[in-house]
Amino acid sequence: MAAETAFVRNQWYVAAYGSEVGRELLGRTVCGEPLVLYRTEEGPAVALADRCVHRRFPLSESRLDGDRIVCGYHGFTYDASGSCVSVPGQQRIPRTARVAAYPVTEQDSFVWVWIGDPSLAEATAPPRAPWLADPAWATVSGMEPLAARYGLLVDNLLDLSHETYLHGGYIGTPEVARTPITTEADDENGIVRVSRHMDDAECPPFYARSTGIEGRITRWQDIEYRAPCLYLLHSRIAPAGVLPEADGSDPRGFHVEIVYAITPSTENSTYDFWAVARDFAQDDQKVSDFLHTFNRTVVMQDVTALDLLEQIVAEEPEDVQELSINIDTGGLAARRILERLRAAGVPDGASGAAPARAVR
């Protein structure tokens, strides 16, 4: 696998959870661009380039004075638009004394930052994960950094057969690996859908302990990847033999919406924002605690595996041939879409509308 030498720009990426951004300066690197994030005293989030124009000191290691950042090295001071409003030892402010300001929007618990031409930001809305901000759903979440390239995580999440082997005893069962998948690729809108439906499966501990279901289950995994940044796994389980009603409802089913915001940091590192939303036991803190701990364990299993894989891939010559099989069709479709977006450098055209929830 050749190194990813370019990022998909003119796109919205998740830089942080809204809960992470406050009156303390937060440093993040998105698509190779160092950012500093904070909230103004009135509340809106701000994202500026995280380098002082004077001697490149990181503004994230500086301090706030009202809504202005005072550089911790020589005191250059910037307002929320990135303009320098004060320099030490002189009244005149150099004309070029400003740092880039990035378009920011908050949606579905995430702080999204536009990477690319700022004039294009208003024409495209970030993709939706509405369950994360819906009071009818209970959500647990976290973020883990990977010392691995972005594409490895995309491959990982679009091929869930690895659950059987890497996550056995947590979310994986034998049926996941042996059940065929269906794949649909909407290249024009940058969407890949991969589905696996299991009519008679073992109930993994992740669901048995959170729902109380005993015995065999029906299990649906419907993936929706919206390139380049958002991955949605519409997951549903029910007692074995239970099918949706004629109107598509499934009153005996348990629904989980698993969300990953996959944000490239550098060419060989990634932010893995993850969230698990559920429509059952919404007020049960024990279930929330269990799902948070259990899902973070699963995420860390992926982190360990992908960090190891990155070391191997990084040392291989670019002409090494990979073997791909049926389970890789989703990942290969995503690679194709990402390569097109990298080459074009333009928005993928996907709307910001909430994704339709199929009967599962």
Side-chain angles (χ1 to χ4, degrees), residues 338-351:
L338 289 170
E339 183 55 38
R340 176 180 65 79
L341 293 176
R342 275 193 287 266
V346 297
D348 64 2
S351 73

Side-chain angles (χ1 to χ4, degrees), residues 17 132 137-142 206 257 259 274-278 285 287-293 295-296:
Y17 286 104
L132 306 189
W137 292 73
T139 301
V140 297
S141 60
F206 182 88
E257 299 290 348
V259 177
W274 59 267
V276 178
R278 67 184 190 275
Q285 187 60 44
V287 172
S288 293
D289 292 343
F290 165 74
L291 289 176
H292 185 277
T293 299
N295 200 71
R296 184 177 184 275

Side-chain angles (χ1 to χ4, degrees), residues 195-208:
S195 295
R196 178 183 276 108
H197 296 174
M198 295 158 274
D199 294 330
D200 181 17
E202 177 185 337
C203 188
F206 182 88
Y207 289 111

Side-chain angles (χ1 to χ4, degrees), residues 6 39 71 85 119 159 169 171 177 203 232 258 265 267 279 295 346:
R39 290 191 186 278
C71 178
V85 295
S119 68
D159 172 19
I171 58 175
C203 188
L232 311 171
I258 299 174
S265 178
E267 288 187 356
D279 67 354
N295 200 71
V346 297

